[in-house]
């Protein structure tokens, strides 16, 4: 039976929105936003889209009008009542009222600030300028919009059954991964795939399939909207943008060297338990841990987001032992470029030695590799980063020089201040 | 948006019917039915279900109550007005009014006769007795019901996403076959998969996918209901039951030897063109062709339904040449146990030498092999045959002794009368 009203309604749509809600974003964005709102509210920042995969000519693939439509739609969003209620009333990481009333009042009034879009050659320059707590919320929706519009351009040429088979193949591919992961009940995996997902509906499917297939091994999703709708845990802590902006704001080299720890001192005041996760790689994991204050060794764990993950975990284990901590009580979260074989390998290697968890991103929610001719749906490496804070360029080094960002003279300065030695170059796939 | 009415309606269903219409059957059944109605209306026959795959314990898998419900539902069906209109008004094989008014009047009044169902060990004995034109219409729905109920028993234990992935895998599997078949625009393939399909909805999907994927290479479906709903050609001519019953009715050996040709003489009066297809293997292809009257060599083609298909086609080509016919004008339809590699192989071997067409059955509409643990959804060899006509046992030999049927003494007699020599035993998969 055709539901006529639904059909007419669908036909009336002016736009098929990619981002449907202000909380269709990563949970850690909201945690960080609250921290920034409290500690650095007036910092002026610029976020900028960076397509690390320059062979993907985004401006040729994506119509500028459609892109503006989607971005304008995002600017029209504001927090819905049930979303606000969920953020105010839900238990996150075992804690009620994680989001404070003053932050929630501000968030309830928020609309995202303007964007600047310009075509330059075959790429788009897309930037967002303004107060840090507002601008930072553009990152995830901007990435999701570009990734999905590129996908839609490819899907547009396909037949009805061809499309159904495409999704059949993608479902089969994910389910085979889930079947591989099923063997080990000790596994703990969360969805971290919002930003470079194939689409919202697909991410929603992936999350539900993971939940049915893995049961308790699937611990939740970073996507707040999906967590709310599907009654799952919202997962996430903090990210590089905090140390990057704090560092850019530093007055001199001494303040710069201290900046990454200042971030975590602020975080320490606000959060406890599983939210006390160190992200040590912004300016090199080795140096960060060596110079860390002792109270940081008391934190719950470390997230490993660049460099060779096993090396990173070994470094963390060594560091905890040096500081008199028991690594088996500590949590290591792997979140960089994971796919199922790497997950199983790391689980085998570290289960029992530390508590292990995985934040599985793009290859969970966008593994359309090999499903179309010329691989035109394969995910690619798109990021949206703070590039400037109060007029000063930001810098990221990470444990992989291929992920480094910032002006060369500043990169050199940061390498000197943070005593970063030789680093191994690793390919960035997604 | 939930369509509440549909949902409530679904929930109210007492039965999810497997066979929804009297024309959810093979087109050749209706053609043969009309021929029988005209020539042998009063013949009393028994049709009987035979599970050649005795390792599949149908009575353990399928609840007897559910089976009766489905069979009772079929007995409640009568020809709908739009179905009758389609049969009366549509063009079949280029001809209008293929179905005569007297036949249609009879068919419009028809309800299927009673069935006899008994559990014997792990199998069901399911038989149908009565006037030939009525009883013969049980064959296809009875097979479809047993095949689908067995499938439903397996599906019943599966989770929601597991189910979706099952169908995703089946879709992917079929699409990969379609992609393989796409290369050759000269290919001609029809769906012959009604009787042992996974389900009606799945057959309907397969037919539509074939149509989108193969375009003109997909020439139609044997399923009348799907042909009607999807505006496709209904495909089919005649089957073994005609010579089997005619042969059983023969008074003596001389009449028996003539019986297969009597069938085709009756058919010759009724049909022309592409409907004049010889099915030569009922009592051995070699002998049948050797002793065939010359007018049969003028028929359009031959359908090869048992034995090694290439051998069968070579035999036909040789026979046409002997009778002074041009094989390149003749049609060979392969319809026995086909899958995509065999189709492509036969096409390569015979395209250009004869006109080639394929009736693709069970491995089009029910290739769930390898998609569940223990292969519990794999198709198996189930048939429903005329076993008795006016109190005399029927016999089928075919070109594969593994497909032979009937009492041994009668098999021996038929082999003698039809001069059948040594035959190659070939496995029967589906």
């Amino acid at each position: 039976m055709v539901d006529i009203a639904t059909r007419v309604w669908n036909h009336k749509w002016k736009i098929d929105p990619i981002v449907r809600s202000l909380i269709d974003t990563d949970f850690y964005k909201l945690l960080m936003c609250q921290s920034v709102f409290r500690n650095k509210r007036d910092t002026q920042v610029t976020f900028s889209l960076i397509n690390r995969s320059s062979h993907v000519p985004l401006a040729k693939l994506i119509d500028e009008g459609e892109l503006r439509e989607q971005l304008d739609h995002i600017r029209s969003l504001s927090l819905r009542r049930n979303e606000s209620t969920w953020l105010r009333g839900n238990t996150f990481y075992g804690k009620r009222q994680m989001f404070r009333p003053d932050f929630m009042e501000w968030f309830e009034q928020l609309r995202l600030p303007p964007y600047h879009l310009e075509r330059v050659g075959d790429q788009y320059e897309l930037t967002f300028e303004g107060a840090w707590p507002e601008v930072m919320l553009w990152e995830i929706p901007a990435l999701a919009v570009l990734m999905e519009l590129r996908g839609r351009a490819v899907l547009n040429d396909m037949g009805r059954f061809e499309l159904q088979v495409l999704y059949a193949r993608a479902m089969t591919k994910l389910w085979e991964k889930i079947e591989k992961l099923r063997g080990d009940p000790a596994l703990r995996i969360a969805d971290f795939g919002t930003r470079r997902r194939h689409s919202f509906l697909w991410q929603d499917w992936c999350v539900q399939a993971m939940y049915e297939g893995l049961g308790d091994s699937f611990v939740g999703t970073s996507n707040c909207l999906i967590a709310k709708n599907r009654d799952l845990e919202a997962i996430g802590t903090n990210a590089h943008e905090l140390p990057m902006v704090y560092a850019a704001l530093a007055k001199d080299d001494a303040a710069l060297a201290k900046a990454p720890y200042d971030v975590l001192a602020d975080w320490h005041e606000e959060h406890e338990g599983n939210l006390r996760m160190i992200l040590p790689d912004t300016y090199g994991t080795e140096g960060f841990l060596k110079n860390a204050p002792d109270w940081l060794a008391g934190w719950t764990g470390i997230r490993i987001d660049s460099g060779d993950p096993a090396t990173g975990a070994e470094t963390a284990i060594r560091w905890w032992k040096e500081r008199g901590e028991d690594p088996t009580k500590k949590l290591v979260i792997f979140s960089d470029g994971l796919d199922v074989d790497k997950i199983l390998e790391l689980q085998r290697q570290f289960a029992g030695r530390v508590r292990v968890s995985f934040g599985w991103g793009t290859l969970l929610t966008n593994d359309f590799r090999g499903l179309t001719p010329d691989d035109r749906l394969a995910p690619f490496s798109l990021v949206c980063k703070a590039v400037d804070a109060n007029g000063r360029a930001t810098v990221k080094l990470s444990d992989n020089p291929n992920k480094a960002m910032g002006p060369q003279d500043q990169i050199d300065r940061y390498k000197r201040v943070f005593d970063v030695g030789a680093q191994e170059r690793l390919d960035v796939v997604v």
Side-chain angles (χ1 to χ4, degrees), chain A:
Chain A
M1 214 189 298
V2 177
D3 178 349
I4 306 175
T6 300
R7 186 139 164 185
V8 172
W9 172 251
N10 289 350
H11 200 70
K12 273 173 53 178
W13 277 0
K14 284 188 191 58
I15 166 181
D16 185 12
I18 290 174
V19 174
R20 298 133 201 251
S21 152
L22 273 193
I23 67 165
D24 179 10
T25 193
D26 281 340
F27 182 66
Y28 76 2
K29 271 286 169 181
L30 301 188
L31 284 186
M32 289 192 292
C33 187
Q34 174 169 251
S35 179
V36 168
F37 176 79
R38 173 181 178 164
N39 301 303
K40 305 276 179 192
R41 186 187 307 200
D42 298 325
T43 309
Q44 295 296 301
V45 298
T46 305
F47 269 65
S48 184
L49 188 88
I50 298 149
N51 179 8
R52 290 176 187 153
S53 307
S54 51
H55 65 278
V56 179
L58 285 177
K60 277 170 91 171
L61 297 170
I62 297 172
D63 178 74
E64 187 174 328
E66 278 181 53
L67 176 52
R68 286 185 186 278
E69 232 173 21
Q70 293 292 344
L71 297 171
D72 291 341
H73 175 76
I74 293 169
R75 291 202 63 213
S76 79
L77 296 171
S78 62
L79 203 62
R80 284 190 203 93
R81 191 171 191 162
N82 75 61
E83 295 166 346
S84 173
T85 304
W86 181 77
L87 287 172
R88 284 174 182 269
N90 193 35
T91 306
F92 299 103
Y93 284 83
K95 184 178 163 184
R96 284 208 186 276
Q97 287 184 294
M98 172 81 78
F99 295 100
R100 289 185 306 272
D102 61 332
F103 172 71
M104 286 307 304
E105 274 155 37
W106 170 85
F107 194 20
E108 281 159 0
Q109 299 306 316
L110 179 72
R111 302 243 173 168
L112 291 196
Y115 60 88
H116 307 276
L117 175 66
E118 202 178 316
R119 182 177 174 153
V120 177
D122 288 341
Q123 299 295 336
Y124 285 118
E125 267 189 18
L126 178 59
T127 54
F128 310 92
E129 285 182 47
W132 189 6
E134 297 181 6
V135 166
M136 68 188 293
L137 294 180
W138 263 115
E139 176 184 357
I140 309 296
L143 292 172
V145 159
L146 279 151
M147 201 49 95
E148 186 164 344
L149 279 182
R150 181 269 208 154
R152 287 185 184 182
V154 176
L155 302 176
N156 222 14
D157 298 332
M158 295 173 75
R160 185 168 172 186
F161 284 77
E162 197 182 5
L163 265 177
Q164 204 177 3
V165 170
L166 173 74
Y167 284 103
R169 284 178 167 154
M171 286 174 184
T172 299
K173 197 170 186 188
L174 177 57
W175 197 257
E176 274 160 14
K177 295 184 184 188
I178 290 172
E179 284 176 335
K180 275 195 186 179
L181 295 172
R182 263 177 171 170
D184 184 351
L187 263 184
R188 289 295 174 264
I189 307 181
D191 158 39
F192 274 23
T194 299
R195 67 191 58 207
R196 283 188 288 271
R197 67 191 181 197
H198 169 77
S199 73
F200 173 75
L201 292 176
W202 178 245
Q203 183 184 16
D204 195 34
W205 192 92
C206 293
V207 165
Q208 292 176 81
M210 288 283 283
Y211 184 60
E212 179 181 302
L214 295 183
D216 289 343
S217 284
F218 182 63
V219 296
T221 170
S222 66
N223 187 296
C224 298
L225 183 62
I226 296 176
K228 178 176 84 62
N229 291 347
R230 304 296 171 194
D231 223 356
L232 296 166
E233 293 294 322
I235 302 284
T237 53
N238 55 62
H240 299 105
E241 72 174 282
L242 295 179
M244 284 168 72
V245 173
Y246 274 57
L249 298 176
K251 298 257 149 35
D252 53 32
D253 287 358
L256 176 58
K258 230 175 112 278
Y261 308 109
D262 292 342
V263 169
L264 299 184
D266 284 346
W267 198 262
H268 194 87
E269 268 183 45
E270 295 176 77
H271 299 295
E272 52 200 15
N274 279 349
L275 282 171
R276 288 188 175 166
M277 289 298 299
I278 304 168
L279 180 65
D281 67 325
T282 316
Y283 303 118
T285 296
E286 284 282 352
F288 177 88
L289 293 178
K290 196 172 64 186
N291 300 316
D294 275 335
W295 54 265
L296 256 188
W299 274 33
T300 305
I302 283 184
R303 179 158 74 91
I304 306 212
D305 200 44
S306 65
D308 174 64
T311 308
E314 295 292 359
T315 304
I317 290 170
R318 217 166 34 241
W319 177 68
W320 279 315
K321 286 185 179 162
E322 284 164 14
R323 301 289 177 114
E325 298 283 335
D326 177 0
T328 64
K329 301 274 191 300
K330 298 295 186 182
L331 179 61
V332 170
I333 297 179
F334 297 100
S335 63
D336 180 34
L338 293 174
D339 204 358
V340 70
D341 291 334
K342 185 49 102 180
I343 290 173
L344 291 171
E345 182 191 323
L346 291 167
Q347 175 74 6
R348 271 192 302 273
Q349 211 168 342
F350 292 101
R353 299 178 58 202
V354 287
R355 289 161 51 210
V356 179
S357 190
F358 299 90
W360 192 10
T362 309
L363 295 180
L364 166 59
T365 61
N366 196 0
D367 191 359
F368 280 64
R369 294 174 302 175
L371 302 187
T372 52
D374 305 328
D375 238 355
R376 295 190 303 152
L377 283 177
F380 58 98
S381 190
L382 192 67
V383 296
C384 181
K385 292 286 182 190
V387 292
D388 183 292
N390 285 351
R392 301 148 79 109
T394 65
V395 169
K396 180 182 173 190
L397 300 178
S398 98
D399 288 330
N400 177 2
N402 284 342
K403 280 185 161 185
M405 282 180 36
Q408 192 58 48
D409 63 324
Q410 289 299 314
I411 290 181
D412 294 341
R413 175 183 164 232
Y414 277 61
K415 279 191 168 177
R416 176 174 48 73
V417 169
F418 290 105
D419 194 19
V420 175
Q423 289 182 309
E424 190 187 354
R425 275 189 190 277
L426 297 170
D427 282 346
V428 178
V429 181
V430 286

